[in-house]
Amino acid sequence: MRWRGRKQSTHVEDRRGEQVPGGGSYRAGGGLANILMLLFLRGSPKSRIIVLVLLVLGFLLFRGPLLNFLGGGETPGGTTQQSGVAPDDEMYAYLSTIMGDNEQVWSQVLPTAGFQFRPAQMVIYSQRTRTPGGIADARMGPFYLSQDETIYIDPTFFRELKEKFGATGDFAEAYVVAHEYGHHVQNILGRLDQLHSLHGKVSDTEYNHQSVRVELHADFLAGIFARFAQETFGDFLEQGDIEEAMRCAEAIGDDRLQRDYGPGHVNPDSFTHGTSAQRAKWFNQGFTSGDVKVGEALYSLPYDQL
Ligand SMILES: [Zn+2]
């Protein structure tokens, strides 16, 4: 896959190197906070005064660290990238280029289907980062959060793709981004709201079936992207790239569509994405048809005919 020299997206934020407290330090801080709270609520008036004095002193002397220790403060980012200055590394350049490609393709394709395009954001992070839905953890794999219309990705996932699934070329990585961008396109199409509105109203089985449709639809949209990228940028795809995307479709079974139930609910459930044969089929439908409307069949076909 050829990718160098194209316009890079300006909607990519680099948070690699940012220190976000993990379970361990949060528990430690939370523990102290709980003890202080207990002393304050259950203790004698004297112990309450001691707690208050300690807190006031602590706040005056160690404002930042104290807030962090109690688990309530913002941890200053290590090398958090603020907008404007692009980091100079291969992975950032690659992901920004693929994001730029998606912006270019969808800003052309969506209006022809009667929808207005708005760009998604991307956050590149390492290990953990904050999201409006809670803390994202690299173990979750890449995901799209509709609350802030952002794709969260820890690039070490790509190494895992290579090592575990033999997805070697860079199209596999582009495919992962295109699938996640597909979820953003679904958000614009209103398909995510539709899925979320079913929660609690249908059985778990029915909900899972519906989410399989949504996942296959994201693969379909990735296929549309690949087709238009090929047409727009020329030699975008090389021999074997589609097969690679198919292997990859299998591998990103860990990708989880985020359900937005409010803070603290990043990734509450995992569910299936359809079989790899189904995923390959729908990616190809997108690639060969290039027509957003063809994907609507995913929501009307009986489940066993997907
Ligand atoms: Zn997905």
Side-chain angles (χ1 to χ4, degrees):
M1 194 195 119
R2 194 186 59 77
W3 63 271
R4 279 170 216 283
R6 289 201 297 276
K7 194 169 166 256
Q8 295 185 8
S9 170
T10 54
H11 300 283
V12 181
E13 184 190 348
D14 187 9
R15 291 189 196 161
R16 286 170 296 177
E18 174 194 41
Q19 296 300 309
V20 175
S25 54
Y26 260 127
R27 268 197 296 280
L32 180 75
N34 284 344
I35 290 167
L36 288 177
M37 182 71 88
L38 261 178
L39 269 175
F40 187 78
L41 291 175
R42 303 259 172 91
S44 63
K46 204 168 149 194
S47 61
R48 283 184 197 179
I49 291 166
I50 291 170
V51 167
L52 274 180
V53 167
L54 276 176
L55 279 175
V56 169
L57 267 179
F59 186 76
L60 288 175
L61 293 174
F62 313 105
R63 201 168 302 196
L66 180 79
L67 283 175
N68 278 336
F69 195 58
L70 294 177
E74 284 295 312
T75 305
T79 58
T80 299
Q81 182 65 42
Q82 294 307 321
S83 56
V85 195
D88 181 25
D89 77 276
E90 188 86 351
M91 183 52 77
Y92 183 90
Y94 176 76
L95 288 173
S96 306
T97 304
I98 303 305
M99 284 294 282
D101 292 348
N102 274 276
E103 286 161 16
Q104 202 175 326
V105 165
W106 290 113
S107 61
Q108 282 165 21
V109 173
L110 277 176
T112 65
F115 291 88
Q116 209 184 344
F117 173 76
R118 55 178 189 269
Q121 310 296 315
M122 174 179 271
V123 167
I124 308 174
Y125 71 100
S126 50
Q127 296 181 313
R128 271 184 295 277
T129 196
R130 289 192 175 82
T131 83
I135 303 247
D137 189 299
R139 285 169 296 191
M140 293 157 56
F143 65 90
Y144 171 77
L145 187 66
S146 57
Q147 275 166 295
D148 58 353
E149 308 205 323
T150 300
I151 295 166
Y152 289 88
I153 193 161
D154 177 337
T156 53
F157 174 77
F158 294 136
R159 199 167 58 216
E160 212 174 298
L161 265 189
K162 288 191 174 86
E163 285 165 5
K164 283 192 189 158
F165 306 101
T168 46
D170 42 22
F171 185 69
E173 300 167 359
Y175 173 76
V176 171
V177 176
H179 173 97
E180 298 307 332
Y181 218 99
H183 285 314
H184 176 64
V185 171
Q186 291 175 319
N187 196 18
I188 294 174
L189 298 175
R191 288 295 179 187
L192 290 189
D193 282 346
Q194 222 162 40
L195 175 69
H196 295 152
S197 72
L198 286 178
H199 184 74
K201 290 182 192 136
V202 296
S203 68
D204 285 354
T205 311
E206 179 51 34
Y207 194 90
N208 278 340
H209 284 185
Q210 207 54 35
S211 56
V212 167
R213 292 178 194 273
V214 167
E215 290 302 332
L216 292 176
H217 190 211
D219 290 327
F220 170 85
L221 295 168
I224 293 202
F225 164 76
R227 181 204 177 98
F228 281 93
Q230 175 76 349
E231 282 175 8
T232 311
F233 312 122
D235 61 327
F236 182 81
L237 295 171
E238 289 159 6
Q239 197 73 33
D241 275 351
I242 297 290
E243 290 74 13
E244 188 172 284
M246 298 297 91
R247 279 200 299 278
C248 204
E250 244 171 294
I252 55 175
D254 267 339
D255 156 65
R256 285 133 194 194
L257 192 62
Q258 295 303 297
R259 305 176 183 182
D260 308 340
Y261 303 143
H265 279 89
V266 164
N267 187 31
D269 292 279
S270 65
F271 31 71
T272 46
H273 281 59
T275 65
S276 44
Q278 285 174 318
R279 302 195 66 178
K281 174 183 156 187
W282 285 100
F283 177 88
N284 271 315
Q285 294 264 23
F287 188 74
T288 50
S289 73
D291 183 355
V292 174
K293 287 188 194 73
V294 170
E296 294 301 302
L298 273 160
Y299 298 96
S300 54
L301 278 171
Y303 188 69
D304 57 5
Q305 287 172 35
L306 292 178

